Amino acid sequence: MDNQKLAELLFPHITRTPEDLQRQYPPRNLPEGAMVTRMGPSPTGFIHLGNLYGAFVDERMAHQSGGTFYLRIEDTDDKRYVEGAVETITSSLDFFGIGFDEGAEIGGAYGPYYQSRRAEIYQIFVRDLVRRGRAYPCFLTEEELAAIRAEQEANKETTGIYGKYAEQSRNLTLEEIAANLTAGKPYVVRLRSKGNAIDPAHCCRESGAVCEGVSGARYVNHNGTIYIHVKDAIRGEVSMPANDQDVVILKATGIPTYHFAHAVDDHLMGTTHVVRGEEWLMSLPVHIELFDALGFPAPVYCHTAVLMKLDDETGNRRKLSKRRDPELSLDYYRREGYHPRAVKEYLMTILNSDFEAWRTANPDMSLEEFPFSTEKMNSAGALFDLNKLNDISKDVLLRIPAEELADFLTDWARLTRPELVPLFTDEAGGYGPEYLAKILDLGRSGRTPRKDLIFCRQIFDFICYFFDEYFHIEETVPENVTDEDAREILRRYLDTCDHSDDQSQWFDKIRAIAVGMGYAAKPRDYKKHPEDYKGHVGHVSTVIRLAVMGRTQSPDVWEIQQILGEDRTRARISALLV
C-alpha cells in the first residue's frame, strides 16, 4: 500500500501539515511549573455538581500555579447540542466564582474553542496518520458491523473492530479503496492499533521488557500481553492492558470522535493536566495510544472519584442521580439560595483531606489561600452529604458581613421570589436594605454567635415574621398558661414596657409580671416546687414572644423588638387583645 497516495486520495483538499499547525499554536509562554487546565463540556444544557467539582479542581490547579484555565466546548455530537447551553455553563460557573482565562465566549490565541469549528485541524492530523500507515478507511456497513457484533457476543468475545475482525478493512488495496470512493460508499477512518499482544512490530518483544512511548506512558510486557503504565496525579500509577481496538477517529461526516479530538486539542492548546471522572479510566489505553500515534506527550491525567450519597432507603452508597437527586443540578443551589462560598468550601472538604484542619487553624483566611493538592484527593468514592453542606454553610455565612448577605438574599429573591424584592429594598415603599441587614445581623456577635442562617429559602422562612405581610401566629401558648392569663400577661406588658429600656430593665419587668401573676421568677424554682407556681418566667416570656414573632423559638426578643420598633411591636400585641 502506498500510504502517501492513500492520504492524497482521502484528503485531496488538505494542503497544510501538522508542522504548520505547530507553528500556528506554539507552546505557551508561562512560568516554570504553571499548569494549563481546561473544562470541556458537551453543550447539553445540563450542568451538574460533578462539573463544578471538576472545574473547581481545574481552576485551583491552574491559578494556584500561575497557569491558565480555559473553556473548550466539545460539540462534535450535534445531536446533543442544546441552544443556550454554553451561556448556561459560563453563567453557572461564574455564580460560583469560577472564571476562565480564555475559551468559548471569551476568545484567546488557541481557538477556535468549539470543536465543531476545528474540522480542518483534525483532518490534517488524520491525513498524516494515514500517510504514516497508522490509520485507514473502513467501509463496513451498519449491517456488517451488526453481524460482527453478533458473532462476538455469541463467542463471548470483546466487541469491536480488532484482530481478525479488522483484517478485511485493513487489507483493502488502494484500487479497492478508490473504487469504493468512486461508488460513493460512506466510510470512517480508524486508528491502526498496535494491539496489546506481542508482535514483531512492538518494542516489548520479551517478557518483562519495558519501553516508553512519546506520550510518557510505559509499555510493559506481562507474559505476552502489553500493559500501559501511566502516572495519575490522584491515583498514582495506573496499569491496564494496552489498547487493541481499531477505534474510529474520523466519522463519515468528516467530524472526529471525542477520543481523537481531545488528543489533538489538548496538545495544540498546551493542556498540561486533564481532570476528569473515574468513568474515563477505561478509555485511557485508547487515549495513550492516540497520543503516541500522533507523536504528542500526553497531559497528566487526574481521575477524580465519583460523587456518591447514602441512599435514604437502603443506607448504601450510590452515585448521585440526575433523576433521583435534585441536588446534583447546579441550578438546585441557586434556587435554594446557597451561597457559592459555602458550596465551594464544602467541596474542598471532599477534595482535600487536610482542608478542615487548615480551616480550623485559619478561620479568617480566604479559600483561595488554601494550598490545594491533587495528592490529598481521595481516589475512592467521594460521599456527598447535604447535611454537612448545611453545617458548613452556617459557619461560612457567619463570616460574611450582614450587608453583603442582605445583597445576596435580594439577588436570590430577584431570581426566584420576585414578590419579596420590594420588602428587601426601598422599591414601592419597602422596608429597605438597612432593615434587612439588621435582621440578618441579629445574634451574630458575642462569644457564642447564633448559627441560624443556611441558605436563602431557609433564611426567609426563618426571618419572615419581621415583615408584617408574612407575620402570623404559628404556635400556641405553653400548656401552663391559660388563655385568660395570656391576655393578662400581654396587657401588663403593654402597660409597663418602655422601648427605651435596656435589656436588663426590660427583662426585670417581665419577671415582675410573672411573679405578680403567680409564676416563678426562675425556671429552677418552678422545677423544685411546681406545686407552688402556675409556671415560670420562661412561660410568660414565651407568651410575649408568640405575640411579637408568632413562634415559641427565636433569637432574643428584646433585640427583635429594637429592630421592629415600638409602634409595630405594640400593634402586634394590641391586635391580640381586641
Side-chain angles (χ1 to χ4, degrees):
M1 172 73 75
D2 187 332
N3 290 319
Q4 178 66 42
K5 286 187 177 179
L6 177 59
E8 293 170 357
L9 183 64
L10 294 176
F11 300 98
H13 58 292
I14 298 296
T15 58
R16 293 199 294 166
T17 66
E19 291 71 29
D20 294 328
L21 292 174
Q22 298 285 9
R23 286 189 289 271
Q24 181 180 344
Y25 299 101
R28 293 174 180 270
N29 183 20
L30 292 171
E32 184 72 24
M35 300 179 188
V36 179
T37 62
R38 48 80 168 168
M39 183 179 182
S42 297
T44 61
F46 180 72
I47 181 164
H48 55 75
L49 192 64
N51 298 133
L52 177 63
Y53 181 75
F56 193 17
V57 178
D58 281 319
E59 186 273 336
R60 284 291 78 213
M61 291 173 68
H63 292 161
Q64 197 167 265
S65 65
T68 299
F69 176 38
Y70 70 92
L71 174 64
R72 183 175 74 219
I73 302 302
E74 298 181 344
D75 56 347
T76 55
D77 185 353
D78 56 7
K79 294 178 181 177
R80 303 184 68 197
Y81 180 80
V82 174
E83 193 69 36
V86 177
E87 292 77 8
T88 298
I89 292 167
T90 54
S91 64
S92 295
L93 293 179
D94 183 65
F95 175 77
F96 288 97
I98 294 179
F100 298 98
D101 303 304
E102 63 183 62
E105 305 297 295
I106 302 169
Y110 293 84
Y113 294 94
Y114 289 80
Q115 288 185 332
S116 60
R117 302 174 190 174
R118 297 170 65 85
E120 185 191 13
I121 292 174
Y122 306 127
Q123 291 177 18
I124 288 171
F125 282 102
V126 174
R127 182 186 188 279
D128 189 62
L129 288 178
V130 172
R131 182 187 64 81
R132 294 190 286 111
R134 288 307 312 271
Y136 64 91
C138 173
F139 295 88
L140 289 173
T141 64
E142 291 296 327
E143 292 75 16
E144 289 171 321
L145 290 170
I148 290 173
R149 173 179 285 274
E151 179 182 345
Q152 291 169 335
E153 290 176 345
N155 296 334
K156 297 184 178 178
E157 298 174 314
T158 302
T159 58
I161 302 302
Y162 62 93
K164 68 177 184 179
Y165 299 106
E167 288 178 0
Q168 175 186 337
S169 297
R170 281 187 172 203
N171 295 331
L172 289 175
T173 65
L174 188 61
E175 291 73 21
E176 288 172 321
I177 293 171
N180 284 337
L181 294 175
T182 301
K185 288 186 177 181
Y187 68 93
V188 298
V189 178
R190 294 184 180 273
L191 174 72
R192 189 185 296 270
S193 173
K194 289 189 175 182
N196 60 22
I198 301 306
D199 65 52
H202 213 289
C203 58
C204 304
R205 287 189 291 274
E206 297 179 5
S207 183
V210 179
C211 63
E212 185 168 320
V214 179
S215 65
R218 290 185 303 120
Y219 290 84
V220 181
N221 181 335
H222 287 279
N223 299 319
T225 300
I226 302 298
Y227 279 71
I228 60 165
H229 291 250
V230 180
K231 179 69 181 296
D232 185 284
I234 296 173
R235 298 165 184 272
E237 186 169 274
V238 175
S239 175
M240 56 186 68
N243 173 59
D244 69 347
Q245 295 274 348
D246 284 7
V247 295
V248 175
I249 58 176
L250 198 69
K251 293 180 274 191
T253 57
I255 299 297
T257 58
Y258 166 77
H259 300 300
F260 187 73
H262 107 278
V264 171
D265 291 341
D266 281 341
H267 174 70
L268 292 182
M269 294 179 177
T271 310
T272 64
H273 292 70
V274 170
V275 179
R276 60 189 189 182
E278 65 179 24
E279 65 272 16
W280 286 101
L281 271 170
M282 299 311 296
S283 299
L284 191 58
V286 171
H287 295 166
I288 289 300
E289 183 166 16
L290 283 170
F291 275 100
D292 278 322
L294 289 162
F296 302 156
V300 177
Y301 285 102
C302 313
H303 289 94
T304 61
V306 172
L307 285 174
M308 313 283 283
K309 73 173 292 184
L310 290 178
D311 189 273
D312 293 335
E313 297 179 3
T314 66
N316 298 326
R317 290 190 175 205
R318 63 169 175 79
K319 287 176 62 175
L320 282 169
S321 161
K322 179 180 178 180
R323 180 176 58 86
R324 299 170 63 184
D325 305 308
E327 65 268 32
L328 180 61
S329 170
L330 285 193
D331 191 48
Y332 169 84
Y333 302 94
R334 298 185 75 171
R335 291 196 318 270
E336 294 297 296
Y338 281 93
H339 199 285
R341 289 188 215 169
V343 177
K344 288 171 68 177
E345 188 114 344
Y346 171 65
L347 287 179
M348 191 59 84
T349 68
I350 299 177
L351 288 169
N352 263 199
S353 57
D354 59 340
F355 175 72
E356 290 181 82
W358 178 87
R359 172 54 75 203
T360 300
N362 304 279
D364 299 321
M365 292 181 72
S366 71
L367 184 65
E368 285 67 29
E369 295 176 87
F370 170 69
F372 172 80
S373 170
T374 55
E375 295 176 0
K376 297 292 179 68
M377 291 180 69
N378 186 358
S379 60
L383 187 63
F384 180 81
D385 183 349
L386 198 58
N387 290 328
K388 186 172 182 180
L389 167 59
N390 290 341
D391 287 339
I392 287 175
S393 186
K394 293 175 183 179
D395 290 325
V396 170
L397 295 193
L398 193 61
R399 298 195 296 267
I400 297 176
E403 293 77 13
E404 185 179 334
L405 272 184
D407 290 341
F408 181 70
L409 187 62
T410 304
D411 289 341
W412 168 80
R414 292 187 193 281
L415 180 69
T416 62
R417 298 281 300 275
E419 74 276 9
L420 300 180
V421 175
L423 303 181
F424 298 162
T425 65
D426 294 323
E427 299 174 17
Y431 294 81
E434 292 182 2
Y435 180 74
L436 180 59
K438 287 180 181 179
I439 297 171
L440 297 174
D441 210 28
L442 183 60
R444 287 167 30 112
S445 58
R447 289 184 178 180
T448 56
R450 295 181 65 97
K451 298 180 181 179
D452 298 310
L453 312 182
I454 307 173
F455 52 90
C456 290
R457 192 179 302 279
Q458 173 270 337
I459 290 172
F460 181 70
D461 289 342
F462 184 71
I463 67 171
C464 65
Y465 57 81
F466 278 99
F467 304 95
D468 294 338
E469 295 83 348
Y470 288 86
F471 170 74
H472 64 280
I473 305 297
E474 298 179 12
E475 301 174 69
T476 58
V477 297
E479 293 181 359
N480 308 64
V481 182
T482 65
D483 289 345
E484 184 180 345
D485 268 7
R487 293 174 66 84
E488 182 60 25
I489 289 169
L490 295 179
R491 275 193 289 265
R492 294 190 185 192
Y493 185 69
L494 281 179
D495 290 342
T496 61
C497 180
D498 186 334
H499 197 68
S500 64
D501 287 341
D502 62 27
Q503 195 165 23
S504 177
Q505 293 169 323
W506 169 82
F507 193 69
D508 284 343
K509 290 180 178 180
I510 293 177
R511 185 179 284 116
I513 293 171
V515 172
M517 293 183 62
Y519 293 83
K522 297 178 181 179
R524 67 186 181 200
D525 294 339
Y526 173 69
K527 187 175 182 180
K528 287 181 180 179
H529 303 287
E531 69 279 2
D532 295 339
Y533 307 99
K534 296 178 180 178
H536 57 73
V537 67
H539 298 132
V540 173
S541 64
T542 296
V543 172
I544 298 167
R545 186 188 301 272
L546 270 169
V548 177
M549 279 79 74
R551 304 173 181 179
T552 59
Q553 299 292 324
S554 73
D556 185 82
V557 181
W558 180 83
E559 291 188 65
I560 290 173
Q561 291 184 173
Q562 297 305 304
I563 296 173
L564 284 172
E566 183 174 10
D567 292 344
R568 291 172 64 208
T569 299
R570 286 185 170 275
R572 288 187 179 187
I573 296 172
S574 299
L576 297 176
L577 297 175
V578 174

